[in-house]
């Protein structure tokens, strides 16, 4: 399984459209890529695989001219290239969606999609034509949002789709998608894959990164695996199994883990127990209809629902990130009003946002500062966390979550996406909350680390912490939760104990059973 | 050494040293400092003394810029401080007494703090863009100062007031001692407590900071108050140095000098990471530049042009992109050699 496969898959037209040879890139203190070869054939979907920090995004940025290559050559369609900016590579027919989607939330959807390529009429931007063109691309992705609406209004998933739409609009022979599906639900992934298959049939070469093995096996023809910045090998997907792939990625066998040994807290809560959190009629106009919810100590509540179903909105109201219009929250029997996140943090509630880049990461600060930010904010500026405590906590969590590089002074901006997510988790764990709200905590996290985080959640719950676990992956929700709350159309539609009778199919059926259309984009399906 | 070259502080310090060397080459006596009547005299001392107001204002500006803001009103606030103090002293029963000066200074600083509260309120509570919010006071402030002085240049004759801007303690100008004291206190507050980190966090990502429980609003607000305080003290120095309050000209364009000092010191206008030491060097650079221009015989008309050219050069030197452009010539050729 370590030798490089040399046979070429069926649709291949012999010569690779992209060929990278002996690529090395170093950052101060890190060798991100060491002598990596990579090729991309026309008419194939090629998955780039590897753990968090393996160098996938770096390889992509090396190809598209974001980073300067220390050593190695890049050939695109037979000619040597040394791109010095993303615009260069775009001009050479490489269209890229980077992992950290970088759009302008204050511009409209259409403006974002066509930025720099706006259609003109009489010397001015032709807004109508622009919206029309955006509309047609959005249709391909099955997205029925208004191209003239401002991007900031939409969820992170829609924003991700818009970024993909932007890349599709460019007539490219190479399409690069770095974790495009991390915040999409099954439906949207299916639509994206349909578009990708189409493009593949037209001869476009697609480079695809994902930590979802099922997706990789569904869509890709070939894969390249990286580990610690080195090439492990290139494989044909049809000759490979998930198990061998994972072994190639992590360099050893993965301990299988299907069951999590989390003991649900004492069966049905009796009348006398005071819930940690009792929520009655919590609502906010336009984002959440009145929700009742009880959370007991040591309970893991899974929240299932499609995008835009109100999952994130519920979490934000519980945390005071938005203020509720109506409803009450009692913490251990006493009434609380959370007008700011700070007041919720004071009540020992933690919230890790799904939107890592905009709402979590403080890029120019170090790992240590990012980890200790909440603790420090809670202590107030006059009482800095003592150096000793600081060092101890940071070291402890770097080790516990296997954060790479394990350097407390590394800048957050230089971490790979998955490692940033781990630092943010640590930020909240350090505050020792009683209720931990996790909105898509395993987004962008590799499969080894994902089970690690799930285990951690189970362990914390065993120790008495309550957890609200929001995830697009229903399997994950079911594996972890004691109770499952199902959301739809910004309202709670079900709340049941997670016993054998609850299945992924059952939840999907519950969601569908609501009657009316599930989501706006389904209305024409 | 590589590390050093990458730091903005390296380039601003280098620029300052070059400027001093240039001056020394033209006027060999530039570096000489002599002791006379227990006071130090010389060009360097003049630069320190005259640079004190810019340094003070730049200190406040550094923190404001770190939170992604900007304060255009510092010049107007400085003028108001001078006006309040001078009018109070001139109008009091004992215009020559030290006690009068104490209350005048307290009153002026108090007024400035109120003005800072106003700026901070507009920015942090109403969410008005800082450049617009402080533009209000920038324009209205001078009018306010005019009202206070009744449109006159109010002169005061008070030895105690004179000390602030033109006095000496232990052979050194009082003005620079005050500025350095404020610098030291700010540096200690910023770096020995968590304040600096929290300010940077708010400047880098306000929403993430808010969700992490940082009092983003309070921090932003406080920083504008501090900036106005610094501007007020600077205004008092200027008024004291000239023994007069000139509503039209006191502290004129000081906001630009301060912003330049901050930028030369390596703090990005985009907010986030700040360097107080850098600002100190930047302020001294700006002041030395002002002294250099007449010394090396640049005609007064070309004054601003020359300044602009120098400032752009320094900023370019610090820009990572420009340095990368210089550097990228080298690696390309080495790779070619390696590939061949
Ligand atoms: N600009 C940079 N400066 C310093 N180190 C960097 C920089 N960019 C990436 N790195 C480091 O290079 C390594 C590879 O990072 P990369 O982002 O390519 O990982 P990845 O495979 O995309 O991981 P993930 O699945 O988490 O997105 C990591 O150790 C990362 O910390
Ligand atoms: Mg990545």
């Amino acid at each position: 399984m370590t030798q490089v496969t040399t046979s070429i898959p069926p649709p291949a037209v012999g010569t690779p459209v992209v060929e990278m040879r002996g690529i090395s890139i170093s950052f101060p203190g890190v060798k991100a890529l060491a002598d990596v070869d990579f090729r991309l054939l026309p008419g194939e979907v090629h998955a780039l695989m590897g753990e968090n920090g393996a160098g996938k995004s770096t390889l992509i940025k090396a190809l598209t001219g974001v980073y300067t290559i220390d050593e190695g050559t890049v050939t695109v369609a037979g000619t040597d290239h040394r791109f010095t900016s993303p615009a260069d590579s775009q001009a050479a027919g490489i269209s890229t969606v980077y992992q950290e989607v970088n759009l302008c939330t204050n511009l409209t959807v259409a403006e974002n999609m066509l930025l720099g390529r706006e259609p003109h009429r009489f010397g001015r931007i032709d807004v109508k034509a622009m919206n029309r063109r955006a509309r047609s691309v959005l249709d391909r992705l099955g997205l029925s949002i208004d191209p003239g609406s401002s991007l900031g209004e939409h969820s992170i998933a829609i924003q991700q789709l818009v970024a993909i739409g932007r890349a599709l609009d460019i007539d490219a022979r190479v399409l690069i998608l770095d974790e495009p599906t991390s915040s999409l639900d099954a439906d949207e992934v299916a639509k994206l894959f349909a578009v990708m298959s189409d493009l593949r049939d037209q001869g476009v070469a697609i480079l695809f990164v994902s930590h979802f093995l099922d997706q990789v096996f569904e869509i890709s023809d070939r894969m390249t695996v990286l580990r610690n910045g080195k090439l492990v090998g290139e494989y044909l997907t049809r000759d490979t199994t998930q198990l061998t792939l994972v072994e190639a990625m992590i360099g050893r066998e993965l301990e299988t883990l299907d069951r999590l040994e989390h003991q649900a807290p004492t069966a049905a809560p009796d009348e006398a127990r005071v819930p940690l959190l009792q929520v009655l009629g919590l609502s906010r106009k336009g984002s959440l209809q009145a929700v009742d919810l009880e959370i007991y100590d040591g309970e893991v509540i899974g929240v299932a629902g499609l995008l835009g179903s109100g999952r994130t909105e519920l979490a934000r109201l519980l945390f005071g990130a938005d203020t509720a219009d109506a409803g009450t929250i009692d913490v251990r029997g006493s009434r609380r009003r959370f007008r700011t996140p700070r007041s919720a943090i004071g009540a020992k509630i933690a919230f890790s946002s799904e939107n890592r880049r905009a709402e979590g990461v403080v890029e120019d600060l170090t790992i240590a500062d990012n980890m200790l930010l909440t603790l420090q904010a809670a202590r107030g500026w006059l009482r800095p966390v003592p150096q000793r405590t600081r060092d101890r906590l940071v070291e402890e969590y770097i080790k516990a979550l296997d954060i790479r590089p394990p350097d407390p002074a590394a800048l957050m901006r230089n971490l790979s996406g998955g490692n940033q997510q781990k630092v943010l988790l640590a930020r909240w764990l350090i505050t020792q909350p009683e209720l931990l709200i996790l909105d898509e905590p395993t987004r962008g996290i590799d499969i080894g680390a994902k089970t690690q985080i799930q285990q951690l959640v189970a362990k914390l719950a065993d120790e008495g912490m309550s957890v609200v676990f929001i995830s697009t992956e229903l399997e994950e929700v079911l594996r972890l939760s004691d109770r499952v709350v199902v959301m739809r159309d910004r309202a709670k539609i079900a709340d049941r104990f997670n016993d054998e009778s609850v299945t992924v199919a059952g939840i999907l059926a519950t969601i569908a059973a609501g009657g009316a259309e599930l989501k706006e984009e389904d209305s024409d399906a | 050494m590589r590390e050093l070259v990458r730091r903005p502080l390296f380039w601003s310090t280098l620029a300052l040293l070059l400027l001093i060397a240039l001056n020394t080459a033209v006027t060999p006596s530039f570096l000489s400092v002599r002791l006379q009547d227990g006071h130090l005299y010389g060009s360097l001392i003049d630069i320190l003394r005259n640079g004190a107001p810019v340094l003070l204002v730049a200190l406040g500006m550094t923190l404001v810029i770190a939170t992604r803001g900007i304060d255009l009103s510092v010049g107007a606030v400085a003028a108001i401080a001078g006006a309040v103090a001078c009018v109070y002293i001139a109008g009091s029963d004992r215009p020559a007494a030290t006690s009068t000066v104490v209350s005048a200074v307290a009153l002026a600083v108090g007024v400035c703090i109120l003005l800072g509260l106003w700026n901070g309120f507009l920015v942090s509570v109403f969410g008005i863009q800082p450049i617009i919010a402080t533009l209000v006071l920038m324009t209205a402030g001078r009018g306010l100062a005019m009202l206070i002085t009744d449109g006159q240049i109010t002169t005061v004759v008070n030895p105690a007031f004179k000390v602030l801007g033109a006095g000496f303690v232990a052979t050194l100008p009082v003005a620079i001692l005050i500025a350095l004291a404020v610098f030291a206190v700010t540096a200690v507050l910023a770096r020995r407590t968590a304040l600096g980190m929290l300010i940077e966090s708010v400047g880098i990502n306000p929403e993430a900071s808010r969700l992490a429980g940082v009092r983003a609003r309070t921090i932003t607000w406080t920083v504008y108050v501090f900036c106005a305080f610094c501007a007020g003290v600077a205004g008092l120095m200027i008024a004291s140095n000239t023994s007069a309050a000139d509503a039209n000209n006191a502290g004129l364009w000081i906001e630009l000098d301060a912003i330049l000092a901050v930028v030369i010191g390596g703090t990005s206008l985009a907010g986030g990471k700040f360097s107080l030491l850098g600002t100190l060097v930047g302020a001294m650079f700006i002041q030395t530049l002002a002294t250099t221009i007449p010394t090396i015989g640049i005609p007064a008309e070309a004054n601003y042009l020359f300044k602009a050219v120098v400032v752009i050069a320094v900023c370019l030197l610090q820009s990572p992109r420009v340095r990368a452009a210089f550097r990228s010539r080298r690696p390309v050729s080495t790779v070619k050699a390696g590939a061949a």
Side-chain angles (χ1 to χ4, degrees), chain B residues 99-112:
Chain B
S99 61
T100 315
V101 174
V102 172
S103 23
V105 166
L107 184 67
V109 169
V111 167
C112 292

Side-chain angles (χ1 to χ4, degrees), chain A residues 26-28 30-33 49-61 67 99-100 178-179 209 211 226 229 356 404-405 410-411 413-420 444-446:
Chain A
S26 302
F27 298 111
V30 202
K31 184 117 192 169
L33 290 176
M49 304 297 297
E51 291 181 286
N52 292 134
K56 304 179 293 294
S57 302
T58 307
L59 187 67
I60 289 171
K61 290 178 182 167
Y67 292 149
Q99 184 173 10
E100 306 299 342
D178 194 353
E179 298 199 33
V209 179
H211 288 294
L226 298 179
R356 179 167 68 216
R404 285 179 238 174
L411 284 190
R413 68 154 69 250
N414 294 339
L415 259 54
S416 79
N419 282 301
Q420 288 181 347
I445 283 199
D446 69 46

Side-chain angles (χ1 to χ4, degrees), chain A residues 8-20:
Chain A
I8 289 171
V13 200
T15 47
V17 55
V18 171
E19 192 153 22
M20 303 175 79

Side-chain angles (χ1 to χ4, degrees), chain B residues 73-218:
Chain B
S73 71
V74 283
V77 171
I80 292 175
V84 168
C86 290
V87 168
Y88 180 88
I89 294 172
S92 81
D93 304 336
R94 298 158 56 220
T98 306
S99 61
T100 315
V101 174
V102 172
S103 23
V105 166
L107 184 67
V109 169
V111 167
C112 292
I113 286 179
L114 281 180
L115 296 173
L117 281 169
W118 164 255
N119 277 337
F121 177 70
L122 291 184
V123 172
S124 68
V125 179
F126 278 145
I128 301 178
Q129 293 207 352
I131 197 164
I132 304 298
T134 56
L135 194 62
V136 173
L137 197 55
M138 179 186 182
T139 40
R142 295 233 172 243
L144 203 61
M146 292 282 263
L147 276 181
I148 295 169
T149 56
D150 231 353
Q152 309 293 319
I153 293 182
T154 311
T155 46
V156 291
V157 188
N158 183 317
F161 188 57
K162 191 83 189 157
V163 169
L164 210 51
F168 284 80
V169 165
T171 74
L172 285 168
V174 173
I176 194 65
L177 291 178
I178 293 178
L180 286 178
V182 174
F183 171 81
V185 170
T186 315
V188 167
L189 278 185
R191 298 306 180 194
R192 294 283 144 179
T193 72
L195 192 60
M197 191 268 279
L198 293 175
I199 288 176
E200 289 178 343
S201 166
V202 168
I204 297 165
N205 191 339
E207 181 59 10
S209 304
R210 184 181 82 94
L211 289 175
V214 179
R215 288 183 203 268
R217 179 179 288 188
T218 317

Side-chain angles (χ1 to χ4, degrees), chain A residues 71-362:
Chain A
E71 266 168 63
T73 55
V74 177
T75 320
V76 177
T79 41
D80 260 15
H81 278 282
R82 179 170 284 269
F83 301 122
T84 51
S85 77
D88 272 5
S89 62
Q90 192 171 312
I94 302 178
S95 175
T96 315
V97 180
Y98 295 97
Q99 184 173 10
E100 306 299 342
V101 171
N102 208 350
L103 298 173
C104 309
T105 44
N106 53 347
L107 296 184
T108 68
V109 169
E111 282 166 343
N112 268 292
M113 291 177 61
L114 301 176
L115 199 66
R117 303 186 305 277
E118 303 90 346
H120 286 79
R121 190 157 181 259
F122 307 128
R124 295 157 160 258
I125 291 178
D126 184 352
V127 177
K128 263 206 198 126
M130 184 162 78
N131 285 349
R132 224 176 310 119
R133 202 161 120 195
R135 170 79 275 142
S136 72
V137 179
L138 291 173
D139 280 343
R140 278 168 79 189
L141 289 168
L143 212 56
S144 66
I145 54 169
D146 173 12
S149 57
S150 109
L151 186 75
E153 290 167 22
H154 300 289
S155 70
I156 179 93
I158 304 239
Q159 294 187 17
Q160 198 167 36
L161 285 169
V162 170
I164 295 169
R166 179 179 161 75
L168 291 181
D169 180 72
I170 301 167
D171 233 349
R173 57 182 155 203
V174 178
L175 176 63
I176 300 178
L177 303 169
D178 194 353
E179 298 199 33
T181 58
S182 59
S183 53
L184 304 187
D185 67 23
D187 250 21
E188 280 140 340
V189 172
K191 278 174 192 144
L192 175 63
F193 281 6
V195 175
M196 283 167 66
S197 313
D198 264 7
L199 291 173
R200 163 173 56 192
D201 296 344
Q202 292 161 25
V204 176
I206 302 176
L207 174 57
F208 174 73
V209 179
S210 171
H211 288 294
F212 297 103
L213 298 189
D214 292 341
Q215 293 180 2
V216 170
F217 276 87
E218 183 187 336
I219 191 77
S220 75
D221 305 303
R222 192 201 286 267
M223 337 191 230
T224 293
V225 177
L226 298 179
R227 193 195 316 140
N228 288 331
K230 296 192 192 71
L231 176 70
V232 177
E234 192 196 65
Y235 312 100
L236 280 177
T237 308
R238 57 180 152 81
D239 295 346
T240 315
T241 63
Q242 295 215 2
L243 206 64
T244 44
L245 173 63
V246 169
E247 272 177 38
M249 279 163 53
I250 65 177
R252 60 187 153 78
E253 275 180 53
L254 183 74
E255 324 104 73
T256 38
L257 169 116
D258 326 285
R259 279 271 119 210
L260 282 168
E261 294 136 48
H262 163 53
Q263 285 306 297
T266 43
D270 55 75
E271 305 287 300
R273 272 174 72 201
V274 180
L276 167 63
L277 202 75
Q278 171 134 36
V279 177
L280 278 179
L282 194 68
S283 71
R284 178 180 162 92
K285 208 157 161 275
S287 72
L288 190 72
Q289 295 174 35
V291 164
D292 299 342
L293 190 66
E294 277 174 9
I295 304 172
Y296 290 89
D297 282 318
E299 226 181 0
V300 180
I301 311 251
V303 181
L306 302 176
L307 294 172
S309 59
R311 305 174 306 193
T312 297
E313 288 76 2
L314 172 63
R316 289 180 64 91
L317 288 184
L318 289 179
F319 185 65
D322 298 322
T323 40
D325 296 337
T328 59
I329 299 178
D330 291 341
V331 179
R332 298 203 186 286
S334 61
R335 184 66 36 103
R336 299 296 294 263
R337 256 193 82 90
F338 300 141
R339 280 176 222 276
T340 59
R342 201 179 161 77
S343 48
I345 292 167
K348 297 207 122 343
I349 299 179
F351 167 59
S352 162
S353 162
E354 64 169 343
N355 197 344
R356 179 167 68 216
R357 184 185 165 89
E359 298 180 350
V361 168
V362 185

